Amino acid sequence: MRVALLLSTLALAVVTQASSYTGIRILVLLDSPSDGDSYKQLWSDLKDREYNVTLHDVNSPVALAKHGERLYDQLIILSAKMKEYPKGMNAKAVVGFVAEGGNVLLAGTPELGNALRELSREFDVEYDSRYTTVLDQFNYDTDLGKEQHDAIVVDPATQMAKIDAIVPLSKIPGPILFRGIAHTVNPSNPLLTSVLWAPQEAYSWESVNLSESADQDPSVSGKDISLVSVMQARNNARIAFLGSAEMLSDKFFGASAKKYGDKESSPSGNRKFIEELTKWTFQEKSVLEVTSVDHHKPGEATTPEHYRIKDNMTYSISISEYHDDEWFVFSANDVQLELIMLDPYIRRTLDPVEVEEGIITGTFNTTLQLPDQYGVFKFTVNYKRPGYSYIESVTTVGIHPFRHDQYPRFISQAQPYYTSAASMGVGLLIFSFVYLWGGLETSPKTTKKA
């Protein structure tokens, strides 16, 4: 077991060559080449993390894959006004890019076009109507939103999901500035998670009619407005949806946030928030990997070809977590093993094992008795937690019944039946003996002659 852990550790170290688990090639789609000047700090941060950033405007042809191979590993879409995809690219190509393991970050604006709306619907995300924006009369920034109240100040302590695997609250130094369009996520889709939402007083309204009186209720308001949402596909590809492209701009990175009614301003937390969000989206952190799986009988070291019903078995699985460009021990107390044959027969929480120095995998094990049911079973660890990449380890094992000579000769529960059968035999013997040799005297019959 120790040798297997050391080999898996070496293999992980060889595979890891860049800060991202999936790759360092980033394609950025812009409405025009000049738009890239608004995000210089973002490009600098990405290059500091060893990414190769390619800026591309939507008026030039581009392809995400060639000959079945991805040309890029990450895709950032900042071309919210785009009416049509660049030549060589379409919504199907983006969905296929995700299906092949690519990661996507999509940032919208109130001018969001139909092309990106249709793309977001592929992932159960619905942006509000065009030319609508999120407004808040109580939580707007006194500098950026003093005229239309469209630049709102979001408090991460109350309006951000407490999922450290995605964006740790402790790493956000201040409030987050947002100016953009609202979107909603399908609550029945377990793959979607709302990371940042609007304050209770916020609402979505047409940005072109702000001076006119409202004649109807807003389409979405309060906490129902998602500002930033993420999705992790079943193949562990990650997609981030933002309602504001300005969140990523130099202007918002360097701004000071001062909410209406506050006396003092504080530096915005946009830069650190986007850094943590892109780290998660591009799989720089919260990536889990199964390094080894082992099962055997207690006291043995080799894995048997099959088990017998009601055998005792020890199962162990080793998991590593990738973040900060290294592999680390994964710690958890909710990893479960299931023994499945059509339905789960046994579900058991695995116990974490103390790791030795130099080992970068976390090991979880348990010892249990196999069910009194023979057949082909699957030893399954299906670990799905918000923010972490999904783990599904399946090991197929056969469980055999007892051979005819392995069953007990006498069953203690059948003693009443054994006693009944013996008493019947003894009774038969006594009856036969008495009937045949019981010593009954019979006198000869006399007949009288007439």
Side-chain angles (χ1 to χ4, degrees):
M1 184 65 181
R2 183 179 301 175
V3 175
L5 289 176
L6 291 174
L7 291 176
S8 62
T9 300
L10 180 60
L12 291 174
V14 171
V15 170
T16 305
Q17 297 179 351
S19 57
S20 172
Y21 182 74
T22 52
I24 62 173
R25 300 170 297 177
I26 297 180
L27 173 65
V28 182
L29 289 183
L30 301 167
D31 285 317
S32 63
S34 60
D35 291 346
D37 296 336
S38 301
Y39 309 98
K40 289 182 179 179
Q41 292 186 16
L42 176 62
W43 312 145
S44 176
D45 292 345
L46 292 175
K47 290 178 181 178
D48 290 342
R49 283 148 54 189
E50 302 180 357
Y51 284 104
N52 296 329
V53 182
T54 302
L55 304 182
H56 199 283
D57 69 281
V58 296
N59 298 317
S60 304
V62 66
L64 296 175
K66 185 176 182 181
H67 304 308
E69 297 290 334
R70 291 200 319 260
L71 299 178
Y72 301 95
D73 305 304
Q74 329 290 346
L75 174 63
I76 300 177
I77 302 177
L78 299 177
S79 54
K81 301 177 183 178
M82 178 178 66
K83 296 181 179 180
E84 295 181 354
Y85 287 93
K87 185 178 180 181
M89 181 179 171
N90 52 32
K92 184 178 180 180
V94 177
V95 174
F97 176 78
V98 174
E100 292 296 325
N103 307 305
V104 179
L105 186 146
L106 190 157
T109 65
E111 296 84 13
L112 189 67
N114 291 330
L116 295 183
R117 290 179 183 276
E118 293 177 359
L119 175 62
S120 64
R121 292 189 186 107
E122 294 285 342
F123 303 101
D124 268 354
V125 174
E126 184 68 35
Y127 281 91
D128 203 1
S129 302
R130 197 174 188 185
Y131 301 117
T132 60
T133 188
V134 180
L135 304 175
D136 195 323
Q137 311 300 332
F138 300 92
N139 300 285
Y140 65 89
D141 183 74
T142 55
D143 181 22
L144 298 173
K146 61 182 178 180
E147 294 181 359
Q148 298 182 341
H149 302 172
D150 55 350
I152 64 175
V153 180
V154 182
D155 184 6
T158 56
Q159 278 104 43
M160 191 178 76
K162 305 302 187 294
I163 305 176
D164 289 345
I166 301 177
V167 180
L169 178 61
S170 59
K171 293 189 176 182
I172 308 303
I176 301 170
L177 293 171
F178 177 93
R179 179 161 57 194
I181 189 172
H183 70 271
T184 56
V185 299
N186 185 353
S188 62
N189 190 335
L191 306 179
L192 283 165
T193 302
S194 183
V195 175
L196 196 70
W197 54 86
Q200 188 64 41
E201 299 82 5
Y203 60 96
S204 180
W205 196 253
E206 295 180 358
S207 58
V208 295
N209 296 324
L210 295 180
S211 59
E212 301 179 4
S213 59
D215 57 353
Q216 59 182 2
D217 294 333
S219 57
V220 60
S221 62
K223 295 182 179 180
D224 294 335
I225 298 176
S226 291
L227 307 180
V228 177
S229 302
V230 298
M231 177 182 185
Q232 185 162 251
R234 299 188 188 280
N235 65 343
N236 286 326
R238 295 172 176 177
I239 311 101
F241 300 92
L242 288 74
S244 171
E246 286 189 273
M247 290 182 67
L248 294 80
S249 66
D250 299 344
K251 183 178 181 180
F252 277 51
F253 275 12
S256 294
K258 184 180 180 182
K259 187 172 69 173
Y260 171 74
D262 290 349
K263 296 181 180 180
E264 297 181 357
S265 62
S266 58
S268 74
N270 285 52
R271 187 170 189 174
K272 195 62 180 179
F273 175 81
I274 295 301
E275 178 185 340
E276 293 298 325
L277 181 67
T278 53
K279 280 184 177 181
W280 182 87
T281 304
F282 300 155
Q283 299 195 33
E284 295 182 47
K285 63 177 183 178
S286 303
V287 177
L288 303 182
E289 185 81 11
V290 176
T291 57
S292 66
V293 175
D294 182 54
H295 57 89
H296 53 81
K297 294 181 180 180
E300 299 181 3
T302 59
T303 300
E305 295 182 357
H306 57 81
Y307 291 94
R308 192 184 61 186
I309 59 174
K310 303 176 72 175
D311 272 349
N312 291 324
M313 178 206 69
T314 297
Y315 177 93
S316 63
I317 183 171
S318 299
I319 304 173
S320 293
E321 179 183 358
Y322 179 71
H323 62 84
D324 297 330
D325 204 12
E326 294 183 18
W327 288 97
F328 295 89
V329 173
F330 176 65
S331 300
N333 56 6
D334 56 353
V335 181
Q336 291 185 331
L337 168 68
E338 292 181 321
L339 272 64
I340 300 175
M341 187 175 66
L342 299 181
D343 294 316
Y345 278 71
I346 295 176
R347 181 180 291 116
R348 181 73 61 85
T349 300
L350 302 179
D351 301 319
V353 179
E354 293 185 4
V355 297
E356 300 177 4
E357 185 177 356
I359 301 298
I360 61 174
T361 59
T363 302
F364 306 85
N365 69 1
T366 188
T367 299
L368 51 84
Q369 186 181 55
L370 297 176
D372 189 8
Q373 175 67 46
Y374 61 86
V376 179
F377 280 78
K378 294 180 179 179
F379 297 172
T380 303
V381 174
N382 191 358
Y383 190 78
K384 291 180 172 65
R385 298 297 182 272
Y388 288 106
S389 56
Y390 306 139
I391 288 179
E392 188 170 5
S393 173
V394 179
T395 305
T396 303
V397 177
I399 298 180
H400 291 193
F402 289 113
R403 296 194 306 268
H404 69 282
D405 58 348
Q406 290 179 320
Y407 285 98
R409 186 61 61 95
F410 297 102
I411 303 175
S412 60
Q413 291 84 348
Q415 287 182 357
Y417 304 99
Y418 299 152
T419 304
S420 175
S423 63
M424 288 292 293
V426 172
L428 179 62
L429 290 175
I430 295 174
F431 174 79
S432 301
F433 179 81
V434 172
Y435 182 81
L436 296 176
W437 298 287
L440 296 178
E441 295 181 358
T442 57
S443 57
K445 294 180 179 180
T446 60
T447 58
K448 294 181 179 181
K449 293 182 179 180

